[in-house]
Amino acid sequence: MATSVSSQPHFRTCNLCEAMCGVEIHSQANGTLRIEGDRDDVFSHGYICPKAVALQDIQYDRDRLKYPVRRTANGWQQIDWDEALDEVADNLKRIQARHGCHSLGFYVGNPTVHNYSSILFLPGFIRSLHTRNRFSATSVDQLAHHVAALLMFGHQLLLPIPDLDRTDFLLIMGGNPAVSNGSLMTAADAPGRLRAIRKRGGKVILIDPRRTETARLADQHIFIRPGTDVLLLLAMLNVIFSEDRVRLDHGDPLNAFTDGLESIRTLVSDFSTEKTAPITGIPAEQVRELAREFAGAKTAACYGRIGVSTQEFGGVCQWLINVLNVVTGNLDRPGGAMFTRPAFDAVAAPEGLAPRGSFGRWRSRVRKLPEFTGELPVAALAEEILTPGDGQIKAMITSAGNPVLSTPNGRQLDRAFAGLEFMASIDFYINETTRHANIILPPTASLEHDHYDLVFHLLAVHNTAKYSPPLFQPQKNTRHDWEIFLELQMRMESKGLARSLVAKTKRAVVGRFFPPTRLLDLGLRFGPYGSKWKPFGSGLTLAELKRWPHGIDLGPLESCFPERLCTPSKRIALAPELLVKDIERVKTRLLDSHTHHSRNDLLLIGRRQLRSNNSWMHNSERLVKGPQRCTLLMNPSDAANRDIVDGQQVQVSSRIGAIEISVEITDEIMPGVISIPHGWGHDRSGIQMAVAEQHPGASINDLTDDESIDALCGTAAFNGTWVSVSNMATSNERGAAAVH
Ligand code: SF4
């Protein structure tokens, strides 16, 4: 077992979600940990959610692998690291030699962004794979934000963050910060921050097909039909332009470096509130009121998240949200949507480490979906494995991800993985995805390595910096993720019998002279607060940061345009051609050919839950105990139409599959829409997650459709899947009657 570093309280940042809450951890006599909020943390001020206590559940989980394993006919067999790493590299090279470089696929899940050393060593590993078939969780999450940022501001990571602590008006679309604590808006204690807006006389409005937990903290909640947010945004902009409410000059000269205002004026003129209201379900007068309020507020920020990002028009929605913030003078302005200035600034980092972004340099083989920053949309992964021909994926590596449960048409991907010639997974669970691996390489758990949020400081509502040392020393003969990446990279790049020795030696040399901490230190020194720019060594270094266990407050977000803009012209591109062109698709799909589906068709949306985030959290008893969480929410009118009663088991079917799930009848969901949370479906054979298997639930991604995507960038259109729900009792009775 790993040994505790110290009996003193240990301060660190919780890495279970994006919120960056500070925790205080005490070792207890019974061998468990007492985990509470760190009141002195400069960012979270003592706030934590119920998940934080589960940090220890991963550490002590009996199902967590601590050594490499090989799948055999007689089950999983423990093997030595060198043997495992050699076998992985040998098989990948063998398959690439026979079928070409692109016959290798790579998928990386989102826990990687919570691990700075993985982020630093992943690019080198990926380069060593020489494949274009690279996928990640980005295309089932925040890709739309990156596309809009790249095309408008010149860098995929220049993401506008609502200035939550100073805004007077927050418009939230498809996000649930009361549960997520902010997503692409890192905001520990988001509930407290939302309450504070109202306390200081401001206003919070939520647009969502479900009256979520955030609605309870808002002044107003407005239902919207899933997938039509783009029309609401266009109609609001139509009002702002037609009523002459455009104000780029709230004291900030956005006017001086913004191109494309007139194109936007022309483009939105086709989208009147009268035309769009019947489709969104929001009355025209209410949209006009909303637009006027937003434009007239002293300061305002519009924030759209997963419900808006992962739908057919996600890219356009994120662009129009930025446009709305710009034309009302709220971009890059205190109280509006701003940009962070993190201590390790990825926007200013070398291209090899944090690329500005690229779009459409190549396309996927089967469906011709565009690359974004070196990755293809994961909705195309299964077909790239299953469709024969040159470039077909024959081998996979997955790292820290469970795409069988987290990507659309999970059953198809399940079948695809089962037919691969070879698969390796870097993961410490045998889950729905890794059960297909021939070799699993388990990295250390998060409490066994140090922590710095390279990504989430970049997305935070306040500038801070914090470093957390490891709490436990990992047991002997284990590897951190970055060491696994590095050793595999060395093996992929070298040949000959001595390559194990070469790989191990190189890892030792890098570990000695360029470990992750050295790279982090360099990033801090060369960052905006770094010692490189300050005289007499007064600036920030890792050594200095280590002196502040509760973090360093670097101040509120500050205006930074046009200096920080990365477009070649140093101007905001308000109307990028690609996005403007995509409005034609909006017209065709939503305005011209909008059809009402038959009475039994319902629109499926997802749901974030406080005690869950990723599928692996379902192996924590303390997070899954209590009432069943994997339920379907249905409006009373839809339930009555189908003779469905509360708690009943129903069958939900879509174009690609069917699941059984129990129903919760509630008017918190709008008529015509149902909601199912993600990450469940632990009933597949061969997984080794004892707690999750006892609470299997059903996977929403056995219903979501890999062919339903945002055609602009390939993001999975999770929100707005057409499904039908049938009453199993009635169907069974009918079946029985037919038999007799
Ligand atoms: S909100 Fe996120 S970061 Fe904060 S305690 Fe919960 S899981 Fe951890």
Side-chain angles (χ1 to χ4, degrees), residues 343-382:
F344 188 123
D345 187 4
V347 173
E351 184 69 12
L353 185 63
R356 282 180 177 215
S358 57
F359 193 23
R361 287 178 301 167
W362 64 82
R363 294 195 167 251
S364 65
R365 181 180 60 106
V366 179
R367 220 187 312 171
K368 312 293 175 220
L369 299 182
E371 158 271 359
F372 185 85
T373 316
E375 288 179 7
L376 292 168
V378 72
L381 175 54

Side-chain angles (χ1 to χ4, degrees), residues 14 16-17 19-21 47-49 51-52 181:
C14 173
L16 294 181
C17 85
M20 291 202 308
C21 298
Y47 175 88
I48 50 169
C49 86
K51 291 189 288 297
N181 278 291

Side-chain angles (χ1 to χ4, degrees), residues 354-482:
R356 282 180 177 215
S358 57
F359 193 23
R361 287 178 301 167
W362 64 82
R363 294 195 167 251
S364 65
R365 181 180 60 106
V366 179
R367 220 187 312 171
K368 312 293 175 220
L369 299 182
E371 158 271 359
F372 185 85
T373 316
E375 288 179 7
L376 292 168
V378 72
L381 175 54
E383 70 197 18
E384 292 297 328
I385 299 173
L386 294 169
T387 312
D390 271 0
Q392 180 185 8
I393 295 176
K394 300 279 188 178
M396 277 296 300
I397 305 189
T398 66
S399 177
N402 192 358
V404 165
L405 292 191
S406 61
T407 67
N409 200 348
R411 290 276 172 195
Q412 178 179 246
L413 191 58
D414 217 353
R415 285 194 296 279
F417 283 160
L420 286 167
E421 276 188 35
F422 181 79
M423 177 164 161
S425 292
I426 301 167
D427 208 298
F428 44 64
Y429 283 119
I430 300 176
N431 62 28
E432 294 74 10
T433 294
T434 62
R435 71 191 170 125
H436 293 297
N438 298 82
I439 304 273
I440 303 179
L441 305 164
T444 52
S446 62
L447 296 181
E448 294 171 343
H449 55 75
D450 61 348
H451 183 76
Y452 178 87
D453 275 295
L454 272 191
V455 172
F456 300 112
H457 284 308
L458 182 75
L459 304 175
V461 297
H462 192 91
N463 290 318
T464 60
K466 184 173 159 186
Y467 173 83
S468 318
L471 173 59
F472 296 107
Q473 278 171 348
Q475 73 185 44
K476 257 183 104 182
N477 203 21
T478 53
R479 302 278 198 284
H480 298 306
D481 303 69
W482 70 270

Side-chain angles (χ1 to χ4, degrees), residues 101-119:
C101 291
H102 307 310
S103 62
L104 171 57
F106 176 64
Y107 175 87
V108 60
N110 72 4
T112 304
V113 292
H114 298 268
N115 184 337
Y116 85 93
S117 48
S118 278
I119 297 172

